[in-house]
Amino acid sequence: MIIPKTSEEIELMRKSALLVSKTLGMIATEIKEGVTTLELDKKAEEFIRDNGGIPGFLGLYGCPSTLLTSVNEQVVHGLPTNRPIEDGDVVSVDCGVLMNEFYGDHAYTFEIGNVAPETKKLLQVTKESLYIGIREFKAGNRVEDVGNAIQKYTESFGYGVVRELVGHGLGKKMHEGPEMPNYGKRGRGKLFVEGMVVAIEPMINMGTKNIKTLKDNWTIVTADKKPSAHFEHNVALVNGKPELLSTFQYIYDVLGIKSEEENEFRKNPLVL
């Protein structure tokens, strides 16, 4: 079921989403060769609590961590470990926050050191597909219009679009309706409703779309062990158009990246 939000609730959700964004910005200052994902997880929990939030993943469905950190062939839901991050790794950091009774939830895939050119391309295309999908989140469109746009773009590069894992509605629960697949046929699925908030999150593999779950019953990896990328934003439907509640700008400020990719999805300039 789709649960539309009032303008006041959307503003509360923006605060929750931006605390996730700030947390990922903090992670950008810490994530590097030699650091473990368990160390990052501890820092993220402290940061979220110090800023008035509650870790959204910790304890949810039995999740033992604040972050889900997926390295290289890990697609999503990677549990933090004592394995040091290595030069050339790519690390998807997925984070959730509960604040003001509402959840924020988004993700960014970080490049560590000298990443292979073909892997860098995968990350670039996956992030581009996120915004291509967001453009389709508008009045008059349906769920699979977003998925179709993401699928067409990423498959044109020969990549595999994961089928078993999808985006979702967001609100007082981490997972609300509707499910937001990254594939589909135009004109199919639930009609978008003013005030709804969703997490759009392409999960794209360099090779096969097929995945498997490791013995920890959390970490999901590509079946062919090729790298995967994951980027996620929280988006509200406001006046029939997509409006970003989250941002990668905190990350970009740390990494020295100049980008205007988010500008078209904001009615007001982002104030950091």
Side-chain angles (χ1 to χ4, degrees):
M1 183 175 70
I2 296 174
I3 304 174
K5 311 301 188 292
T6 65
S7 57
E8 292 79 11
E9 288 173 329
I10 287 173
E11 290 311 306
L12 291 175
M13 293 194 70
R14 191 191 309 276
K15 292 179 181 179
S16 301
L18 286 177
L19 181 50
V20 179
S21 303
K22 292 174 184 177
T23 305
L24 292 176
M26 181 276 294
I27 292 297
T29 69
E30 302 288 340
I31 191 167
K32 62 193 71 172
E33 184 179 357
V35 173
T36 72
T37 49
L38 266 176
E39 291 171 326
L40 297 176
D41 186 67
K42 184 174 185 294
K43 290 178 184 293
E45 180 177 356
E46 291 174 352
F47 185 88
I48 291 167
R49 294 190 189 281
D50 287 348
N51 284 275
I54 299 169
F57 293 170
L58 186 61
L60 186 70
Y61 312 127
C63 180
S65 58
T66 293
L67 301 177
L68 293 170
T69 52
S70 306
V71 183
N72 297 331
E73 76 275 9
Q74 297 176 356
V75 182
V76 286
H77 301 169
L79 296 181
T81 71
N82 278 317
R83 170 198 178 274
I85 295 169
E86 298 178 1
D87 180 58
D89 284 346
V90 291
V91 186
S92 165
V93 180
D94 196 355
C95 181
V97 159
L98 177 61
M99 192 167 68
N100 303 314
E101 299 185 338
F102 288 97
Y103 281 96
D105 165 29
H106 52 282
Y108 188 89
T109 302
F110 292 90
E111 301 177 15
I112 310 301
N114 299 296
V115 173
E118 60 269 24
T119 305
K120 292 173 76 76
K121 183 68 174 179
L122 170 68
L123 269 59
Q124 174 192 332
V125 169
T126 302
K127 183 151 68 73
E128 288 169 351
S129 79
L130 171 61
Y131 296 105
I132 287 169
I134 290 171
R135 285 190 195 104
E136 298 299 320
F137 181 59
K138 58 187 178 182
N141 274 8
R142 295 179 179 271
V143 163
E144 292 192 29
D145 293 329
V146 172
N148 176 265
I150 293 169
Q151 179 183 10
K152 283 180 66 176
Y153 186 69
T154 55
E155 286 185 347
S156 73
F157 291 87
Y159 298 146
V161 181
V162 175
R163 300 301 200 270
E164 295 89 339
L165 305 162
V166 297
H168 51 91
L170 193 66
K172 290 190 173 181
K173 293 183 178 180
M174 176 68 76
H175 296 104
E176 295 184 353
E179 290 191 344
M180 296 289 296
N182 297 304
Y183 62 93
K185 294 184 178 180
R186 291 202 65 85
R188 198 162 69 175
K190 290 187 177 181
L191 191 67
F192 293 136
V193 175
E194 179 73 12
M196 66 186 292
V197 179
V198 296
I200 298 176
E201 50 178 319
M203 291 158 274
I204 308 299
N205 301 340
M206 183 179 288
T208 179
K209 67 180 184 297
N210 298 324
I211 58 174
K212 59 183 181 180
T213 304
L214 298 185
K215 290 181 180 179
D216 63 13
N217 290 321
W218 277 92
T219 308
I220 294 172
V221 300
T222 59
D224 57 9
K225 297 187 178 180
K226 291 184 179 180
S228 185
H230 176 214
F231 292 89
E232 178 180 12
H233 267 313
N234 299 157
V235 196
L237 190 63
V238 179
N239 296 323
K241 297 178 180 179
E243 182 173 328
L244 278 184
L245 304 184
S246 53
T247 184
F248 293 151
Q249 194 57 52
Y250 294 101
I251 297 170
Y252 293 166
D253 286 350
V254 173
L255 300 181
I257 296 173
K258 302 293 184 183
S259 173
E260 297 182 354
E261 65 194 13
E262 298 179 2
N263 292 358
E264 67 180 282
F265 306 112
R266 298 193 189 282
K267 63 181 178 182
N268 298 314
L270 181 66
V271 178
L272 297 181

